[in-house]
Amino acid sequence: MKSGFFLMLAGLMLSMGLCSCSKGQKIAIVDVQAVVNKSEQVQALKKEQEEKMQSLEQWIKTAQADVENQELKANKEELLNKYNDELARKKDELTREYQDKLQQIDKSITDTIKKTAKDKGYDMVISKSIVIMGGDDITAEVQEVVK
């Protein structure tokens, strides 16, 4: 319900903004999700993240085996706490690294969209997801540059 309201509000704001544009302004639209999905940087980051997660899963299996091999209950609990703390640290580090790299890629894609639009003489770029009609679609040109 909220998303429908926000979509309607965005559409209203967009239409008000477009009405106030002078006739000479050129408007481009970009399917940002398509650009992101085709980006080799994003694909490489996803693959890297999957490999790191597989490595973490293997580490977890090794840690579990190590805990199970302990004979004394006190040793098991101490080792389990140690591994749990280390697992939390590793997960936080993986998440932070992934988010940092994703932000860098996002900035790169945004900069590419801006540059492509500017080079083609556009005054405004709008996400294709909120445009019902109008504007020149420059998604393909952006995808060629982003690769």
Side-chain angles (χ1 to χ4, degrees), residues 5 10 16 25 61 69 76 93 103 113 120 125 135:
F5 173 74
M16 288 172 42
Q25 286 192 327
K61 288 177 184 176
N69 288 334
K76 280 186 179 188
E93 184 178 319
Q103 285 176 349
I113 291 170
K120 294 191 159 286
V125 179

Side-chain angles (χ1 to χ4, degrees), residues 86-130:
E86 191 170 344
L87 176 61
R89 184 187 56 75
K90 286 177 181 269
K91 280 183 170 181
D92 286 345
E93 184 178 319
L94 276 176
T95 301
R96 189 173 34 258
E97 283 178 17
Y98 181 74
Q99 291 298 323
D100 288 347
K101 290 177 181 179
L102 201 56
Q103 285 176 349
Q104 290 172 359
I105 293 170
D106 180 56
K107 183 181 179 334
S108 172
I109 289 173
T110 300
D111 289 347
T112 300
I113 291 170
K114 287 178 184 178
K115 182 176 181 339
T116 302
K118 185 177 179 184
D119 290 349
K120 294 191 159 286
Y122 289 98
D123 301 303
M124 183 183 300
V125 179
I126 302 171
S127 175
K128 190 173 185 175
S129 65
I130 61 170

Side-chain angles (χ1 to χ4, degrees), residues 54-68:
Q54 288 173 351
S55 175
L56 185 61
E57 287 173 15
Q58 186 59 44
W59 179 86
I60 291 171
K61 288 177 184 176
T62 303
Q64 287 172 335
D66 192 16
V67 170
E68 290 301 318

